[in-house]
Amino acid sequence: MTTSHPDHGPDELCVVGQRMYQRALHEGQVARRDVDAAPCLIDMGLLAPAAGDPDRMEPAAPFIALQRLLWASEDRIADERRRGQRIADALEPLMRAGVHSAGTSTPMLRILSSKEQTSRAITDALAEARAETLTIQPYRPHLTRQPEVHAAALARDQAFLDRGARIRALYQHTVRHIGYTRDRYEQLTGDVEARTLDEVTERLIVIDRTVAFIPASADRSLALEVRHPALIAYFVNIFDRLWHLATPKHPQAVQQPTLNGITPRQRAIAALLIEGHTDTDIADRLGMNVRTARVHIAKLAATLGSESRAQLGYLIGQSGILDREG
């Protein structure tokens, strides 16, 4: 009596097939008619006709069978990757063209594929704007800062202010000591304000609460132009919350007080230290180079009387400096 073969995937070995394969390994062969109960053994290359006797089936060595199955699996994975790439290639032009809302020709989401294209899109949006620009600009010391780029941005922003619009900008506290930001706000005239925080989010520009620009890659080579009302409202809400927490920098700067010899910047570093961040992480998040971060860590350690990194974390916790309002 022939046992029906259970349904299973092409890469699976059913119980019937497993028992028959074990028997074939033990006995050296099995009758061809018995294999009808487990055709998966032939499909998977575990059994093959015996030389000179088509009524008998011989087993492949397990390690050979495994290698064959792995090759077949890798081929299928490669096929799926190629299929996925073909799909991505087909949709990529549509993504660059943008995702449109029903009944409109303006894309709600649009990929900007270069820094030059992003700059043009921002310039075009500002040229049409009349009310307000909200920006979050994290400082990155390692990024090259070209004077001509800043000059162009300054002229663009001044033209925007001259139309009666306003600019609100958020930075890390670090930029209070950076010359080009100080010069920028000394040159701009009109309704412009800047504030700072220990940390800010990634770059964000919201213009007239109708269009926003955010990074679409870690190196900022790609950007995303957003016109979806719900996303714009979300970005504005984030900005407003951070703005109310920030310390004024321009036009009237407010300096954070030093508490018991601990500067505001050292308090920010202390908070990140006890969270386990590396010196590199701390520098990146606070907008300073690693050397500067380590100088502040050393000063913090000296102030608290720490002789090691582990002891510094303990002393920060015991000092209560992170519990104070600064």
Side-chain angles (χ1 to χ4, degrees):
M1 181 177 178
T2 302
T3 304
S4 62
H5 184 241
D7 293 331
H8 59 77
D11 298 326
E12 300 174 9
L13 183 61
C14 62
V15 174
V16 175
Q18 183 176 8
R19 290 174 179 170
M20 186 170 295
Y21 182 56
Q22 289 174 337
R23 194 183 77 174
L25 290 171
H26 179 69
E27 299 178 359
Q29 59 182 5
V30 293
R32 177 66 181 83
R33 63 178 180 276
D34 293 342
V35 182
D36 292 342
C40 56
L41 293 175
I42 298 176
D43 296 339
M44 297 175 71
L46 297 177
L47 292 181
D53 188 355
D55 293 330
R56 312 296 297 176
M57 303 292 289
E58 293 180 340
F63 71 91
I64 295 177
L66 176 61
Q67 191 63 53
R68 289 175 181 167
L69 292 172
L70 290 176
W71 284 340
S73 178
E74 289 172 358
D75 287 342
R76 284 191 294 273
I77 292 172
D79 287 341
E80 285 300 313
R81 285 176 176 165
R82 286 190 288 269
R83 177 175 176 271
Q85 188 59 52
R86 288 195 298 271
I87 294 173
D89 291 342
L91 294 179
E92 192 269 346
L94 300 178
M95 286 295 296
R96 291 188 182 276
V99 180
H100 295 70
S101 60
T104 69
S105 59
T106 302
M108 301 185 75
L109 297 174
R110 182 166 70 111
I111 291 290
L112 304 174
S113 58
S114 68
K115 292 182 179 180
E116 292 74 18
Q117 186 182 11
T118 301
S119 180
R120 287 196 302 271
I122 293 172
T123 298
D124 291 345
L126 279 173
E128 298 175 358
R130 292 293 182 271
E132 173 188 68
T133 295
L134 310 175
T135 69
I136 297 177
Q137 298 281 10
Y139 176 63
R140 298 288 187 267
H142 59 279
L143 295 179
T144 301
R145 304 197 171 271
Q146 302 171 333
E148 61 273 18
V149 173
H150 291 298
L154 186 69
R156 180 184 66 194
D157 291 347
Q158 186 59 62
F160 181 63
L161 291 168
D162 289 344
R163 295 197 297 272
R166 72 173 190 168
I167 293 176
R168 300 292 182 265
L170 279 170
Y171 303 88
Q172 297 122 311
H173 289 319
T174 310
V175 303
R176 290 173 174 265
H177 310 281
I178 304 300
Y180 83 86
T181 56
R182 182 176 59 250
D183 294 342
R184 166 184 168 79
Y185 287 100
E186 287 178 352
Q187 295 177 60
L188 286 174
T189 58
D191 188 357
V192 55
E193 291 185 43
R195 296 185 181 184
T196 63
L197 288 162
D198 287 330
E199 297 181 65
V200 294
T201 65
E202 263 299 342
R203 191 184 190 204
L204 170 66
I205 300 175
V206 182
I207 300 174
D208 272 7
R209 305 198 178 204
T210 58
V211 58
F213 299 88
I214 60 174
S217 63
D219 62 357
R220 295 185 181 179
S221 60
L222 300 178
L224 188 64
E225 181 183 288
V226 182
R227 292 181 181 271
H228 194 292
L231 292 175
I232 296 293
Y234 180 78
F235 294 148
V236 171
N237 181 265
I238 289 175
F239 182 91
D240 286 343
R241 288 173 184 248
L242 293 177
W243 183 258
H244 290 297
L245 293 172
T247 302
K249 174 189 183 310
H250 179 86
Q252 295 295 325
V254 173
Q255 299 298 327
Q256 292 181 300
T258 295
L259 301 173
N260 295 332
I262 306 297
T263 67
R265 199 182 309 189
Q266 289 168 1
R267 288 183 68 248
I269 289 174
L272 295 174
L273 278 173
I274 64 172
E275 291 177 5
H277 293 286
T278 66
D279 294 353
T280 301
D281 290 337
I282 292 171
D284 185 64
R285 292 178 62 160
L286 298 183
M288 61 183 72
N289 60 49
V290 177
R291 188 188 313 110
T292 301
R294 287 171 177 161
V295 168
H296 283 290
I297 292 171
K299 290 180 179 178
L300 178 62
T303 301
L304 295 179
S306 171
E307 298 179 356
S308 69
R309 188 70 168 247
Q311 186 185 27
L312 178 57
Y314 171 77
L315 291 175
I316 289 172
Q318 291 296 306
S319 68
I321 60 174
L322 300 183
D323 299 328
R324 306 187 182 199
E325 296 294 329

